Every structure is written in C-alpha cells, then in structure tokens.
Amino acid sequence: MRKQKKNWKERYASYPVNEQQASLWDQTIDRLSASKVQPSASTVGVSAQGAASNLWIENLPKVTPRQQHHKKGVWIFALLVALLFGIVGIYWAVFGLSEDRVQLFDELYEIRGLYHKVSIPTISGTGTHLAIQKEHGEILTAKEVFRKVNPAVVAVVGDYGDGSISVGTGVVFTEDGFFLTNAHVIQGSEQCKIVMPEGKSYEAHLVGYDTKRDVAVLKALNAENLATAQFGDSDQMEVGDRVYAIGNPLGMELRGTLTDGIISAVDRDVDVDGYTMELIQTNAAINEGNSGGPLINEYGQVIGLNTIKMSAGIGEVGIEGLGFAIPSTMVQRLGNQILEFGETIPDTAIGITVAPLAENEDHLKGLLVHSVQEDSCADVAGVRMGDVVLEADGHPTHTNEDLLDIRREHAPGDEMTLKILRGTDEMEIVLILDAAE
C-alpha cells in the first residue's frame, strides 16, 4: 500500500482542482451579493430539480401591464393576444421540460447552492478507518436485520442558524461516534447534532465532505460505546438480491422506519447535478429524510448509502420504486480519504480501455489493451493497443477491478508502474497519472 502524506493539497499543489470554477463561483457570489439576491429556504430530501424549480418560479420577471388604447377594438385584440401568450407561457412554465429550462434549473441550483456552504466546526479523523467485511454470516429475517442495524442509525439534524433546520439520516461506524451521511444533508448548516434511536443526542463536528459524490463524515462529540454498523461488499451484490433501508422519512416523527425491496440494478449511471455517479438502484422505499441512511443486505451489512430517489414533475407520469444508493466500496474509499485528509482526493485517469485475456494455452493472465486515448498519460508513456498489462505497481492485474483498485490508491501526478507484455517482450512503463475529467 502506498504511503500518503497527511496534506495532499501541499503534495499536489501543482495540480489544482477546479481553480477556474472556484474563481467563477466567487465572482458569482460577489455579483449576486451586490444585487442583493437572497437565498431561498432549504430542506433536506428535496431534489435539485425541485429546489431549482421553486427558485426559478419565484424569480420569474413580472409582466408589466400594457397601456390601454383609446380604441375599444384595439384594446380587446391586445387583451386576447396577451391572454393567449399567457396561457402558453403558463403551460410551459408548469409542464414544459425543454433543454433550456432544465439548463436554467441547473444554473439556478448552482447559484443557490453558493449560499449553502457548510460551516460546521471541524475535527480531525486521523487514525480512524472505515472497513468492509467481505465475509458474512447467515441470512437474517427482516426483524433480525432491523434489530442488528437500527441501533447504529441516527437522525442527523442540521441547523442553518436562522431558525430553520434540516433532518436526514446517518450511519455510525465507530464506537466513539464517527458516522457517515450525505453531503447534501448538512449543506448550509452552521451546527449539527445527531439523535440516537433511544432519544439521546450529541453535538457533531465535521471531518469533511464531497459534494459531487454526496458523502460526508462527521463525529459525535464525547460519544463512547455507541452501536456500530458493519459494512459489507457492494461488489458482491446482484440484481434480485433482497435489501432493506432504514431512515427518517419526512423528519423526526417517523424516524427509524424500515422498508424492503430488491436490487434493481448495479453500477447504474445516474446524472446528479451534472456529475455522473455509478449507483445501486433499488425499489426499497426511499423518501425525503432517508438521505444518508443505510441500504442493507440480507446479512445485516450496509452495502450502500441512500442518496436520491427519482420523482415525477408536475403533469408527468408518476414514478415509483426508483431509489439509488452510493455503493459501500465507493463510500469506503471516499470516507477513508476524508478521514485522512479532511477531504477527498481527485480521481485519476490512465487513458486506456482493457479487458481480461481469454483462456489460452500458455495460461497467461492479464489485461489486453483495446484502445489508448490520444495524449493521455498512457499514450505519452508509450502504452500501445495490443499490449497486455500483467502488473500495476507490482500487483497482478487479472481483472479490470485489479487495475482500478490500484489506480484509486493514487492522486493526479503520482507515478504508477505497469508491467507490459508486448509480443514476447516484457517491459516496465512508468505513467504520470492524469486527473480524471
């Protein structure tokens, strides 16, 4: 395992992340502040589209009434035309789903989000680790799953400092109070506390968060001997496997609600505010307030962090049974980066597509390079189509996951060594990893 420095920003100072975007955001904040635009209220569980839609409708320009004409006929004609355009405008405002409108929603949501930076006091997570158990015990009943996991499921209450709060769900993974939730659950909060199933509450401080991938790690202060959840391997899940969700739908009154269903899809690409995430899809009921809660396999292991559900807009066909969770393997990777660095490390890219070698007479195992992206780090280093990747950093690469796991241990600008078979010749190629787009 590669040893990493405690401050990755210092280490990768020459690889700034979204520096231009950060500058644009600052300019936008200044512009909006100068024009005295005020943020609207925020509640946990409302989708990005819903939040933006409300803001968009609230800020529609007001139509200035036409001046009356002296002639009655012209006045009536103008009134009819205005009425016609008004009906069309209202129709598209309510039912329309044009690309322009969706883009406007996204832009407004991003601007709105600028006012909701997390300002919860911070705490270090150094020395703490989130582990995944690949082994599991016997299959449990729904009652047994609830009894096993619910003591580690908490209500996460964010305080905006203006008298309003948000309520989501979290999962405790250490006895001294480290827990996971979604980043959007605490977005905009100035303070945070958790409420245990039995009603006891703790103030919580922030370790760090990743807004794009919607993961946050916090710690309950002065906590000890808390019940913890065991995390399982989401890579072992298949379509049709039974799963359960525990959370706080619609707030505190219904906290500790258990729902069940199956895995509807694995590695589902879902666009969340312009960022594509690979999520687990389930038909287990996930509602507002469930965000950050556990998706649990039939062995009582957490295999996902519930994050979003799809819902229909006004006038659209109803949508049921479409919930999504962040896989536990991704939660573990991001959570441990946050625990060590206080934030996540940017993703890396090699620039090749590979597939495992088919069975052959020589019993050779490795990854056949099908394509190499032009100007990628692999291309610059000399990797060619038809090469076979035998090892990465000294570890065998028999499957795509083997190579992916090793790449994810690195940050942009790191060196990664590939052992390549080209024809009958073996060679080592050193890559300087790119930042993923």
Side-chain angles (χ1 to χ4, degrees):
M1 182 67 69
R2 180 178 61 87
K3 187 175 181 180
Q4 305 194 53
K5 293 184 180 179
K6 295 301 179 186
N7 187 344
W8 74 268
K9 274 192 171 178
E10 228 172 72
R11 182 178 180 190
Y12 306 112
S14 58
Y15 297 87
V17 180
N18 289 333
E19 186 174 294
Q20 182 180 5
Q21 188 65 51
S23 174
L24 290 174
W25 283 359
D26 289 338
Q27 294 173 31
T28 306
I29 291 174
D30 293 339
R31 176 172 57 79
L32 293 177
S33 298
S35 60
K36 297 183 180 179
V37 176
Q38 297 297 321
S40 59
S42 173
T43 56
V44 166
V46 179
S47 65
Q49 289 81 1
S53 174
N54 292 338
L55 183 63
W56 179 71
I57 292 173
E58 291 168 7
N59 289 278
L60 280 174
K62 302 299 185 294
V63 179
T64 303
R66 296 174 179 267
Q67 292 184 348
Q68 288 188 338
H69 286 264
H70 296 293
K71 295 184 179 180
K72 184 177 180 181
V74 176
W75 182 87
I76 294 175
F77 175 76
L79 180 62
L80 290 174
V81 171
L83 182 61
L84 176 62
F85 277 100
I87 292 172
V88 173
I90 292 172
Y91 175 84
W92 283 109
V94 176
F95 299 106
L97 292 173
S98 69
E99 291 183 3
D100 289 342
R101 183 181 179 224
V102 173
Q103 182 180 359
L104 179 60
F105 282 175
D106 291 341
E107 289 173 355
L108 286 171
Y109 184 71
E110 288 179 5
I111 292 172
R112 180 177 181 270
L114 295 176
Y115 292 100
H116 297 287
K117 301 290 185 182
V118 178
S119 53
I120 298 170
T122 58
I123 191 171
S124 173
T126 303
T128 304
H129 185 77
L130 173 62
I132 281 181
Q133 301 294 327
K134 294 185 179 294
E135 300 79 20
H136 53 74
E138 298 294 324
I139 293 176
L140 305 178
T141 65
K143 290 181 181 179
E144 292 169 333
V145 167
F146 183 77
R147 290 170 186 159
K148 179 179 179 180
V149 182
N150 186 61
V153 179
V154 298
V156 181
V157 182
D159 186 340
Y160 294 129
D162 60 359
S164 60
I165 64 170
S166 62
V167 180
T169 306
V171 187
V172 178
F173 63 93
T174 70
E175 292 183 352
D176 59 347
F178 283 94
F179 66 94
L180 290 154
T181 189
N182 287 149
H184 78 256
V185 168
I186 58 168
Q187 189 175 11
S189 300
E190 295 183 1
Q191 308 229 354
C192 181
K193 72 173 182 179
I194 62 170
V195 182
M196 306 300 295
E198 71 277 9
K200 186 174 182 179
S201 64
Y202 295 90
E203 182 184 355
H205 281 187
L206 177 69
V207 180
Y209 63 101
D210 183 324
T211 53
K212 273 190 175 181
R213 291 167 287 194
D214 209 14
V215 173
V217 181
L218 298 95
K219 185 186 186 303
L221 302 183
N222 303 316
E224 56 184 14
N225 300 321
L226 297 187
T228 61
Q230 183 184 89
F231 280 71
D233 186 359
S234 56
D235 290 342
Q236 297 180 11
M237 301 302 295
E238 298 180 2
V239 173
D241 285 348
R242 178 156 293 282
V243 289
Y244 302 88
I246 301 177
N248 308 306
L250 307 181
M252 297 295 289
E253 292 182 2
L254 301 177
R255 71 178 188 268
T257 295
L258 174 72
T259 57
D260 71 333
I262 60 170
I263 296 291
S264 304
V266 294
D267 297 331
R268 179 73 80 194
D269 288 341
V270 180
D271 187 281
V272 182
D273 297 328
Y275 182 80
T276 300
M277 300 177 66
E278 289 187 358
L279 303 176
I280 298 171
Q281 181 183 330
T282 179
N283 67 343
I286 297 174
N287 294 290
E288 295 176 14
N290 278 92
S291 296
L295 187 67
I296 311 158
N297 64 18
E298 58 188 355
Y299 308 105
Q301 297 174 316
V302 177
I303 49 86
L305 208 63
N306 297 321
T307 181
I308 58 172
K309 67 171 289 187
M310 283 192 178
S311 57
I314 298 174
E316 298 175 37
V317 176
I319 297 175
E320 296 292 340
L322 284 178
F324 297 90
I326 307 167
S328 60
T329 51
M330 179 182 290
V331 172
Q332 181 200 33
R333 177 168 59 89
L334 299 177
N336 284 332
Q337 289 176 6
I338 291 171
L339 286 165
E340 183 172 358
F341 302 118
E343 54 191 324
T344 55
I345 296 174
D347 280 340
T348 57
I350 299 176
I352 58 176
T353 57
V354 295
L357 282 174
E359 291 187 9
N360 54 82
E361 295 179 356
D362 298 326
H363 303 289
L364 183 67
K365 292 185 177 181
L367 299 174
L368 178 64
V369 178
H370 283 272
S371 66
V372 181
Q373 183 180 341
E374 187 177 358
D375 296 328
S376 66
C377 66
D379 183 32
V380 171
V383 180
R384 297 294 176 257
M385 184 174 65
D387 288 348
V388 177
V389 181
L390 302 175
E391 296 179 358
D393 286 347
H395 300 282
T397 51
H398 296 166
T399 67
N400 293 40
E401 287 73 23
D402 292 337
L403 181 59
L404 184 61
D405 288 343
I406 297 165
R407 176 175 67 77
R408 282 175 170 169
E409 293 178 7
H410 293 277
D414 274 0
E415 292 184 357
M416 187 170 81
T417 303
L418 299 182
K419 185 176 181 180
I420 297 289
L421 176 66
R422 182 175 296 167
T424 58
D425 298 327
E426 288 188 6
M427 62 187 75
E428 286 193 347
I429 295 180
V430 179
L431 310 177
I432 308 298
L433 292 171
D434 295 327
E437 296 181 0

